[in-house]
mmCIF file of all heavy atoms in Angstrom:
data_model
loop_
_atom_site.group_PDB
_atom_site.id
_atom_site.type_symbol
_atom_site.label_atom_id
_atom_site.label_comp_id
_atom_site.label_asym_id
_atom_site.label_seq_id
_atom_site.Cartn_x
_atom_site.Cartn_y
_atom_site.Cartn_z
ATOM 1 N N ILE A 118 -2.299 13.748 13.427
ATOM 2 C CA ILE A 118 -2.997 14.978 13.820
ATOM 3 C C ILE A 118 -2.084 16.014 14.479
ATOM 4 O O ILE A 118 -2.553 16.911 15.157
ATOM 5 C CB ILE A 118 -4.215 14.677 14.722
ATOM 6 C CG1 ILE A 118 -3.796 13.872 15.941
ATOM 7 C CG2 ILE A 118 -5.303 13.968 13.941
ATOM 8 C CD1 ILE A 118 -4.879 13.741 16.983
ATOM 9 N N LYS A 119 -0.791 15.912 14.253
ATOM 10 C CA LYS A 119 0.134 16.919 14.780
ATOM 11 C C LYS A 119 -0.144 18.267 14.134
ATOM 12 O O LYS A 119 -0.540 18.349 12.975
ATOM 13 C CB LYS A 119 1.580 16.528 14.465
ATOM 14 C CG LYS A 119 2.057 15.304 15.180
ATOM 15 C CD LYS A 119 3.479 14.993 14.758
ATOM 16 C CE LYS A 119 3.911 13.642 15.266
ATOM 17 N NZ LYS A 119 5.106 13.163 14.589
ATOM 18 N N ASP A 120 0.118 19.334 14.892
ATOM 19 C CA ASP A 120 0.012 20.676 14.329
ATOM 20 C C ASP A 120 1.060 20.849 13.235
ATOM 21 O O ASP A 120 2.169 20.308 13.318
ATOM 22 C CB ASP A 120 0.227 21.737 15.412
ATOM 23 C CG ASP A 120 -0.954 21.843 16.362
ATOM 24 O OD1 ASP A 120 -2.069 21.455 15.979
ATOM 25 O OD2 ASP A 120 -0.734 22.318 17.493
ATOM 26 N N PHE A 121 0.708 21.643 12.239
ATOM 27 C CA PHE A 121 1.633 21.940 11.146
ATOM 28 C C PHE A 121 2.806 22.741 11.689
ATOM 29 O O PHE A 121 2.633 23.758 12.365
ATOM 30 C CB PHE A 121 0.899 22.729 10.052
ATOM 31 C CG PHE A 121 1.789 23.170 8.935
ATOM 32 C CD1 PHE A 121 2.440 22.257 8.126
ATOM 33 C CD2 PHE A 121 1.957 24.518 8.672
ATOM 34 C CE1 PHE A 121 3.249 22.670 7.084
ATOM 35 C CE2 PHE A 121 2.757 24.946 7.623
ATOM 36 C CZ PHE A 121 3.411 24.015 6.827
ATOM 37 N N ARG A 122 3.992 22.271 11.416
ATOM 38 C CA ARG A 122 5.240 22.918 11.835
ATOM 39 C C ARG A 122 6.096 23.072 10.584
ATOM 40 O O ARG A 122 6.765 22.122 10.168
ATOM 41 C CB ARG A 122 5.918 22.023 12.871
ATOM 42 C CG ARG A 122 7.120 22.608 13.520
ATOM 43 C CD ARG A 122 7.577 21.658 14.620
ATOM 44 N NE ARG A 122 8.829 22.071 15.171
ATOM 45 C CZ ARG A 122 9.574 21.318 15.959
ATOM 46 N NH1 ARG A 122 9.174 20.110 16.284
ATOM 47 N NH2 ARG A 122 10.704 21.764 16.424
ATOM 48 N N PRO A 123 6.050 24.240 9.928
ATOM 49 C CA PRO A 123 6.715 24.365 8.628
ATOM 50 C C PRO A 123 8.224 24.145 8.706
ATOM 51 O O PRO A 123 8.920 24.847 9.432
ATOM 52 C CB PRO A 123 6.379 25.774 8.163
ATOM 53 C CG PRO A 123 5.852 26.494 9.339
ATOM 54 C CD PRO A 123 5.432 25.487 10.354
ATOM 55 N N HIS A 124 8.669 23.148 7.981
ATOM 56 C CA HIS A 124 10.102 22.864 7.889
ATOM 57 C C HIS A 124 10.385 22.136 6.583
ATOM 58 O O HIS A 124 9.500 21.497 6.019
ATOM 59 C CB HIS A 124 10.584 22.040 9.081
ATOM 60 C CG HIS A 124 10.077 20.634 9.077
ATOM 61 N ND1 HIS A 124 8.804 20.296 9.491
ATOM 62 C CD2 HIS A 124 10.666 19.478 8.693
ATOM 63 C CE1 HIS A 124 8.630 18.987 9.376
ATOM 64 N NE2 HIS A 124 9.738 18.464 8.877
ATOM 65 N N LEU A 125 11.600 22.264 6.126
ATOM 66 C CA LEU A 125 12.086 21.571 4.939
ATOM 67 C C LEU A 125 13.304 20.767 5.353
ATOM 68 O O LEU A 125 14.313 21.345 5.774
ATOM 69 C CB LEU A 125 12.480 22.570 3.843
ATOM 70 C CG LEU A 125 11.401 23.528 3.352
ATOM 71 C CD1 LEU A 125 12.011 24.601 2.463
ATOM 72 C CD2 LEU A 125 10.306 22.775 2.615
ATOM 73 N N THR A 126 13.227 19.454 5.270
ATOM 74 C CA THR A 126 14.369 18.624 5.622
ATOM 75 C C THR A 126 15.442 18.782 4.546
ATOM 76 O O THR A 126 15.170 18.563 3.364
ATOM 77 C CB THR A 126 13.950 17.143 5.762
ATOM 78 O OG1 THR A 126 12.966 17.039 6.797
ATOM 79 C CG2 THR A 126 15.147 16.256 6.091
ATOM 80 N N LEU A 127 16.644 19.163 4.982
ATOM 81 C CA LEU A 127 17.757 19.354 4.054
ATOM 82 C C LEU A 127 18.780 18.234 4.141
ATOM 83 O O LEU A 127 19.502 17.980 3.177
ATOM 84 C CB LEU A 127 18.438 20.702 4.326
ATOM 85 C CG LEU A 127 17.537 21.937 4.206
ATOM 86 C CD1 LEU A 127 18.321 23.194 4.540
ATOM 87 C CD2 LEU A 127 16.911 22.024 2.823
ATOM 88 N N ALA A 128 18.869 17.580 5.301
ATOM 89 C CA ALA A 128 19.846 16.489 5.466
ATOM 90 C C ALA A 128 19.321 15.506 6.502
ATOM 91 O O ALA A 128 18.609 15.883 7.435
ATOM 92 C CB ALA A 128 21.202 17.038 5.893
ATOM 93 N N ARG A 129 19.703 14.262 6.323
ATOM 94 C CA ARG A 129 19.301 13.181 7.229
ATOM 95 C C ARG A 129 20.536 12.538 7.854
ATOM 96 O O ARG A 129 21.637 12.685 7.372
ATOM 97 C CB ARG A 129 18.521 12.109 6.469
ATOM 98 C CG ARG A 129 17.222 12.619 5.895
ATOM 99 C CD ARG A 129 16.348 11.484 5.367
ATOM 100 N NE ARG A 129 15.085 11.989 4.916
ATOM 101 C CZ ARG A 129 14.069 12.332 5.696
ATOM 102 N NH1 ARG A 129 14.174 12.199 6.984
ATOM 103 N NH2 ARG A 129 12.953 12.812 5.194
ATOM 104 N N LYS A 130 20.281 11.810 8.921
ATOM 105 C CA LYS A 130 21.317 11.054 9.625
ATOM 106 C C LYS A 130 22.446 11.963 10.111
ATOM 107 O O LYS A 130 23.626 11.680 9.915
ATOM 108 C CB LYS A 130 21.842 9.909 8.763
ATOM 109 C CG LYS A 130 20.753 8.911 8.426
ATOM 110 C CD LYS A 130 21.290 7.667 7.794
ATOM 111 C CE LYS A 130 20.116 6.726 7.549
ATOM 112 N NZ LYS A 130 20.475 5.408 7.209
ATOM 113 N N ILE A 131 22.050 13.072 10.759
ATOM 114 C CA ILE A 131 23.057 13.980 11.290
ATOM 115 C C ILE A 131 23.775 13.323 12.468
ATOM 116 O O ILE A 131 23.217 12.474 13.158
ATOM 117 C CB ILE A 131 22.448 15.336 11.719
ATOM 118 C CG1 ILE A 131 21.444 15.155 12.862
ATOM 119 C CG2 ILE A 131 21.811 16.052 10.540
ATOM 120 C CD1 ILE A 131 20.969 16.461 13.469
ATOM 121 N N ASP A 132 25.013 13.721 12.660
ATOM 122 C CA ASP A 132 25.807 13.252 13.796
ATOM 123 C C ASP A 132 25.343 14.046 15.013
ATOM 124 O O ASP A 132 25.578 15.257 15.110
ATOM 125 C CB ASP A 132 27.286 13.506 13.502
ATOM 126 C CG ASP A 132 28.213 13.048 14.609
ATOM 127 O OD1 ASP A 132 27.824 13.132 15.798
ATOM 128 O OD2 ASP A 132 29.330 12.627 14.285
ATOM 129 N N LEU A 133 24.676 13.376 15.941
ATOM 130 C CA LEU A 133 24.100 14.071 17.100
ATOM 131 C C LEU A 133 25.171 14.666 18.014
ATOM 132 O O LEU A 133 24.951 15.710 18.628
ATOM 133 C CB LEU A 133 23.194 13.128 17.884
ATOM 134 C CG LEU A 133 21.941 12.673 17.133
ATOM 135 C CD1 LEU A 133 21.150 11.675 17.969
ATOM 136 C CD2 LEU A 133 21.070 13.859 16.756
ATOM 137 N N VAL A 134 26.338 14.035 18.095
ATOM 138 C CA VAL A 134 27.421 14.578 18.915
ATOM 139 C C VAL A 134 27.863 15.923 18.338
ATOM 140 O O VAL A 134 28.032 16.908 19.062
ATOM 141 C CB VAL A 134 28.605 13.581 18.998
ATOM 142 C CG1 VAL A 134 29.795 14.205 19.694
ATOM 143 C CG2 VAL A 134 28.158 12.298 19.707
ATOM 144 N N GLU A 135 28.036 15.984 17.021
ATOM 145 C CA GLU A 135 28.411 17.247 16.366
ATOM 146 C C GLU A 135 27.300 18.277 16.514
ATOM 147 O O GLU A 135 27.566 19.450 16.767
ATOM 148 C CB GLU A 135 28.717 17.030 14.877
ATOM 149 C CG GLU A 135 30.074 16.453 14.598
ATOM 150 C CD GLU A 135 31.206 17.341 15.101
ATOM 151 O OE1 GLU A 135 31.188 18.571 14.860
ATOM 152 O OE2 GLU A 135 32.119 16.804 15.748
ATOM 153 N N ALA A 136 26.060 17.849 16.357
ATOM 154 C CA ALA A 136 24.930 18.778 16.450
ATOM 155 C C ALA A 136 24.847 19.415 17.833
ATOM 156 O O ALA A 136 24.535 20.603 17.952
ATOM 157 C CB ALA A 136 23.622 18.050 16.121
ATOM 158 N N LYS A 137 25.157 18.664 18.880
ATOM 159 C CA LYS A 137 25.074 19.192 20.248
ATOM 160 C C LYS A 137 26.160 20.219 20.530
ATOM 161 O O LYS A 137 26.044 21.009 21.461
ATOM 162 C CB LYS A 137 25.122 18.050 21.256
ATOM 163 C CG LYS A 137 23.831 17.259 21.257
ATOM 164 C CD LYS A 137 23.853 16.138 22.251
ATOM 165 C CE LYS A 137 22.552 15.360 22.098
ATOM 166 N NZ LYS A 137 22.210 14.577 23.218
ATOM 167 N N LYS A 138 27.213 20.236 19.725
ATOM 168 C CA LYS A 138 28.281 21.208 19.887
ATOM 169 C C LYS A 138 27.888 22.591 19.360
ATOM 170 O O LYS A 138 28.545 23.579 19.666
ATOM 171 C CB LYS A 138 29.537 20.754 19.138
ATOM 172 C CG LYS A 138 30.176 19.508 19.716
ATOM 173 C CD LYS A 138 31.381 19.131 18.867
ATOM 174 C CE LYS A 138 32.014 17.830 19.319
ATOM 175 N NZ LYS A 138 33.140 17.448 18.442
ATOM 176 N N LEU A 139 26.836 22.644 18.548
ATOM 177 C CA LEU A 139 26.433 23.886 17.895
ATOM 178 C C LEU A 139 25.255 24.519 18.607
ATOM 179 O O LEU A 139 24.483 23.844 19.274
ATOM 180 C CB LEU A 139 26.057 23.592 16.434
ATOM 181 C CG LEU A 139 27.156 22.927 15.596
ATOM 182 C CD1 LEU A 139 26.604 22.490 14.263
ATOM 183 C CD2 LEU A 139 28.326 23.868 15.404
ATOM 184 N N SER A 140 25.114 25.826 18.450
ATOM 185 C CA SER A 140 23.944 26.498 19.021
ATOM 186 C C SER A 140 22.825 26.482 17.976
ATOM 187 O O SER A 140 23.057 26.671 16.795
ATOM 188 C CB SER A 140 24.283 27.931 19.411
ATOM 189 O OG SER A 140 24.687 28.660 18.274
ATOM 190 N N TRP A 141 21.607 26.258 18.433
ATOM 191 C CA TRP A 141 20.447 26.174 17.543
ATOM 192 C C TRP A 141 19.407 27.157 18.011
ATOM 193 O O TRP A 141 19.325 27.460 19.185
ATOM 194 C CB TRP A 141 19.876 24.750 17.546
ATOM 195 C CG TRP A 141 20.880 23.775 17.040
ATOM 196 C CD1 TRP A 141 21.644 22.945 17.786
ATOM 197 C CD2 TRP A 141 21.276 23.574 15.688
ATOM 198 N NE1 TRP A 141 22.475 22.225 16.996
ATOM 199 C CE2 TRP A 141 22.277 22.595 15.688
ATOM 200 C CE3 TRP A 141 20.885 24.119 14.468
ATOM 201 C CZ2 TRP A 141 22.889 22.158 14.541
ATOM 202 C CZ3 TRP A 141 21.504 23.670 13.328
ATOM 203 C CH2 TRP A 141 22.486 22.704 13.365
ATOM 204 N N ALA A 142 18.507 27.679 17.210
ATOM 205 C CA ALA A 142 18.458 27.558 15.769
ATOM 206 C C ALA A 142 19.438 28.547 15.125
ATOM 207 O O ALA A 142 19.599 29.655 15.605
ATOM 208 C CB ALA A 142 17.032 27.836 15.271
ATOM 209 N N ARG A 143 20.009 28.139 14.051
ATOM 210 C CA ARG A 143 20.999 28.947 13.357
ATOM 211 C C ARG A 143 20.329 29.828 12.309
ATOM 212 O O ARG A 143 19.435 29.406 11.603
ATOM 213 C CB ARG A 143 22.024 28.045 12.686
ATOM 214 C CG ARG A 143 22.777 27.170 13.682
ATOM 215 C CD ARG A 143 23.717 26.220 12.990
ATOM 216 N NE ARG A 143 24.889 26.869 12.451
ATOM 217 C CZ ARG A 143 25.955 27.202 13.158
ATOM 218 N NH1 ARG A 143 25.987 26.975 14.442
ATOM 219 N NH2 ARG A 143 26.996 27.765 12.588
ATOM 220 N N ASP A 144 20.841 31.042 12.220
ATOM 221 C CA ASP A 144 20.341 31.993 11.244
ATOM 222 C C ASP A 144 20.602 31.462 9.830
ATOM 223 O O ASP A 144 21.649 30.883 9.556
ATOM 224 C CB ASP A 144 21.055 33.333 11.456
ATOM 225 C CG ASP A 144 20.554 34.390 10.512
ATOM 226 O OD1 ASP A 144 19.342 34.634 10.500
ATOM 227 O OD2 ASP A 144 21.392 34.962 9.789
ATOM 228 N N PHE A 145 19.648 31.647 8.955
ATOM 229 C CA PHE A 145 19.762 31.219 7.562
ATOM 230 C C PHE A 145 19.431 32.413 6.667
ATOM 231 O O PHE A 145 18.772 32.296 5.656
ATOM 232 C CB PHE A 145 18.813 30.049 7.318
ATOM 233 C CG PHE A 145 19.124 29.186 6.120
ATOM 234 C CD1 PHE A 145 20.417 28.856 5.759
ATOM 235 C CD2 PHE A 145 18.089 28.671 5.359
ATOM 236 C CE1 PHE A 145 20.685 28.045 4.670
ATOM 237 C CE2 PHE A 145 18.341 27.862 4.263
ATOM 238 C CZ PHE A 145 19.639 27.539 3.914
ATOM 239 N N SER A 146 19.875 33.621 7.123
ATOM 240 C CA SER A 146 19.573 34.863 6.411
ATOM 241 C C SER A 146 20.255 34.873 5.054
ATOM 242 O O SER A 146 21.344 34.324 4.907
ATOM 243 C CB SER A 146 20.043 36.066 7.227
ATOM 244 O OG SER A 146 19.272 36.186 8.379
ATOM 245 N N PRO A 147 19.651 35.499 4.083
ATOM 246 C CA PRO A 147 18.403 36.244 4.180
ATOM 247 C C PRO A 147 17.167 35.349 4.156
ATOM 248 O O PRO A 147 16.049 35.843 4.134
ATOM 249 C CB PRO A 147 18.443 37.136 2.947
ATOM 250 C CG PRO A 147 19.192 36.343 1.932
ATOM 251 C CD PRO A 147 20.205 35.554 2.731
ATOM 252 N N GLY A 148 17.361 34.061 4.155
ATOM 253 C CA GLY A 148 16.223 33.157 4.148
ATOM 254 C C GLY A 148 15.696 32.932 2.748
ATOM 255 O O GLY A 148 16.205 33.485 1.765
ATOM 256 N N PHE A 149 14.703 32.109 2.683
ATOM 257 C CA PHE A 149 14.074 31.773 1.415
ATOM 258 C C PHE A 149 12.575 31.901 1.591
ATOM 259 O O PHE A 149 11.995 31.276 2.473
ATOM 260 C CB PHE A 149 14.408 30.339 0.999
ATOM 261 C CG PHE A 149 15.833 30.150 0.611
ATOM 262 C CD1 PHE A 149 16.799 29.865 1.574
ATOM 263 C CD2 PHE A 149 16.238 30.276 -0.704
ATOM 264 C CE1 PHE A 149 18.120 29.701 1.224
ATOM 265 C CE2 PHE A 149 17.558 30.123 -1.060
ATOM 266 C CZ PHE A 149 18.507 29.825 -0.096
ATOM 267 N N VAL A 150 11.971 32.721 0.750
ATOM 268 C CA VAL A 150 10.516 32.822 0.766
ATOM 269 C C VAL A 150 9.999 31.862 -0.283
ATOM 270 O O VAL A 150 10.355 31.955 -1.461
ATOM 271 C CB VAL A 150 10.043 34.260 0.459
ATOM 272 C CG1 VAL A 150 8.519 34.305 0.344
ATOM 273 C CG2 VAL A 150 10.534 35.212 1.534
ATOM 274 N N VAL A 151 9.211 30.907 0.173
ATOM 275 C CA VAL A 151 8.617 29.938 -0.739
ATOM 276 C C VAL A 151 7.154 30.318 -0.911
ATOM 277 O O VAL A 151 6.378 30.279 0.035
ATOM 278 C CB VAL A 151 8.747 28.496 -0.190
ATOM 279 C CG1 VAL A 151 8.032 27.514 -1.099
ATOM 280 C CG2 VAL A 151 10.221 28.117 -0.041
ATOM 281 N N ARG A 152 6.816 30.748 -2.105
ATOM 282 C CA ARG A 152 5.429 31.080 -2.432
ATOM 283 C C ARG A 152 4.767 29.798 -2.904
ATOM 284 O O ARG A 152 5.326 29.069 -3.718
ATOM 285 C CB ARG A 152 5.395 32.137 -3.536
ATOM 286 C CG ARG A 152 3.999 32.428 -4.016
ATOM 287 C CD ARG A 152 3.671 33.904 -3.889
ATOM 288 N NE ARG A 152 2.322 34.154 -4.368
ATOM 289 C CZ ARG A 152 1.288 34.348 -3.565
ATOM 290 N NH1 ARG A 152 1.444 34.346 -2.272
ATOM 291 N NH2 ARG A 152 0.085 34.561 -4.058
ATOM 292 N N PHE A 153 3.595 29.502 -2.352
ATOM 293 C CA PHE A 153 2.898 28.297 -2.791
ATOM 294 C C PHE A 153 1.553 28.668 -3.400
ATOM 295 O O PHE A 153 0.822 29.491 -2.869
ATOM 296 C CB PHE A 153 2.762 27.279 -1.665
ATOM 297 C CG PHE A 153 2.083 27.784 -0.423
ATOM 298 C CD1 PHE A 153 0.710 27.655 -0.266
ATOM 299 C CD2 PHE A 153 2.818 28.361 0.594
ATOM 300 C CE1 PHE A 153 0.081 28.107 0.879
ATOM 301 C CE2 PHE A 153 2.195 28.818 1.747
ATOM 302 C CZ PHE A 153 0.816 28.697 1.891
ATOM 303 N N GLU A 154 1.318 28.083 -4.548
ATOM 304 C CA GLU A 154 0.076 28.314 -5.283
ATOM 305 C C GLU A 154 -0.639 27.006 -5.576
ATOM 306 O O GLU A 154 -1.646 26.993 -6.262
ATOM 307 C CB GLU A 154 0.373 29.088 -6.562
ATOM 308 C CG GLU A 154 0.916 30.467 -6.242
ATOM 309 C CD GLU A 154 1.250 31.302 -7.462
ATOM 310 O OE1 GLU A 154 1.194 30.768 -8.596
ATOM 311 O OE2 GLU A 154 1.559 32.485 -7.273
ATOM 312 N N ARG A 155 -0.082 25.916 -5.054
ATOM 313 C CA ARG A 155 -0.692 24.590 -5.219
ATOM 314 C C ARG A 155 -0.184 23.694 -4.103
ATOM 315 O O ARG A 155 0.786 24.027 -3.438
ATOM 316 C CB ARG A 155 -0.403 24.000 -6.587
ATOM 317 C CG ARG A 155 1.046 23.772 -6.933
ATOM 318 C CD ARG A 155 1.267 23.296 -8.383
ATOM 319 N NE ARG A 155 0.262 22.407 -8.894
ATOM 320 C CZ ARG A 155 -0.773 22.756 -9.695
ATOM 321 N NH1 ARG A 155 -0.905 23.997 -10.083
ATOM 322 N NH2 ARG A 155 -1.648 21.881 -10.102
ATOM 323 N N PHE A 156 -0.854 22.590 -3.904
ATOM 324 C CA PHE A 156 -0.370 21.588 -2.969
ATOM 325 C C PHE A 156 -0.408 20.237 -3.662
ATOM 326 O O PHE A 156 -1.115 20.056 -4.655
ATOM 327 C CB PHE A 156 -1.177 21.583 -1.657
ATOM 328 C CG PHE A 156 -2.610 21.143 -1.799
ATOM 329 C CD1 PHE A 156 -2.976 19.814 -1.582
ATOM 330 C CD2 PHE A 156 -3.608 22.047 -2.113
ATOM 331 C CE1 PHE A 156 -4.298 19.408 -1.709
ATOM 332 C CE2 PHE A 156 -4.937 21.658 -2.229
ATOM 333 C CZ PHE A 156 -5.280 20.324 -2.023
ATOM 334 N N GLU A 157 0.400 19.325 -3.170
ATOM 335 C CA GLU A 157 0.556 18.020 -3.801
ATOM 336 C C GLU A 157 0.155 16.894 -2.862
ATOM 337 O O GLU A 157 0.325 16.994 -1.645
ATOM 338 C CB GLU A 157 2.027 17.789 -4.211
ATOM 339 C CG GLU A 157 2.488 18.572 -5.407
ATOM 340 C CD GLU A 157 2.821 20.024 -5.092
ATOM 341 O OE1 GLU A 157 3.227 20.332 -3.973
ATOM 342 O OE2 GLU A 157 2.661 20.857 -5.995
ATOM 343 N N LEU A 158 -0.333 15.820 -3.461
ATOM 344 C CA LEU A 158 -0.455 14.535 -2.782
ATOM 345 C C LEU A 158 0.791 13.773 -3.200
ATOM 346 O O LEU A 158 1.047 13.609 -4.401
ATOM 347 C CB LEU A 158 -1.718 13.788 -3.215
ATOM 348 C CG LEU A 158 -1.880 12.376 -2.652
ATOM 349 C CD1 LEU A 158 -1.979 12.392 -1.127
ATOM 350 C CD2 LEU A 158 -3.110 11.697 -3.259
#
Side-chain angles (χ1 to χ4, degrees):
I118 56 170
K119 293 178 190 164
D120 287 337
F121 176 63
R122 187 174 172 193
H124 70 281
L125 302 170
T126 300
L127 301 178
R129 297 190 176 282
K130 298 190 178 192
I131 63 171
D132 180 326
L133 294 177
V134 173
E135 281 300 313
K137 288 181 184 200
K138 293 178 184 177
L139 303 171
S140 61
W141 298 101
R143 299 176 73 80
D144 182 56
F145 200 39
S146 292
F149 291 87
V150 174
V151 176
R152 174 124 180 103
F153 56 91
E154 296 180 353
R155 61 185 324 99
F156 67 94
E157 286 79 29
L158 175 62

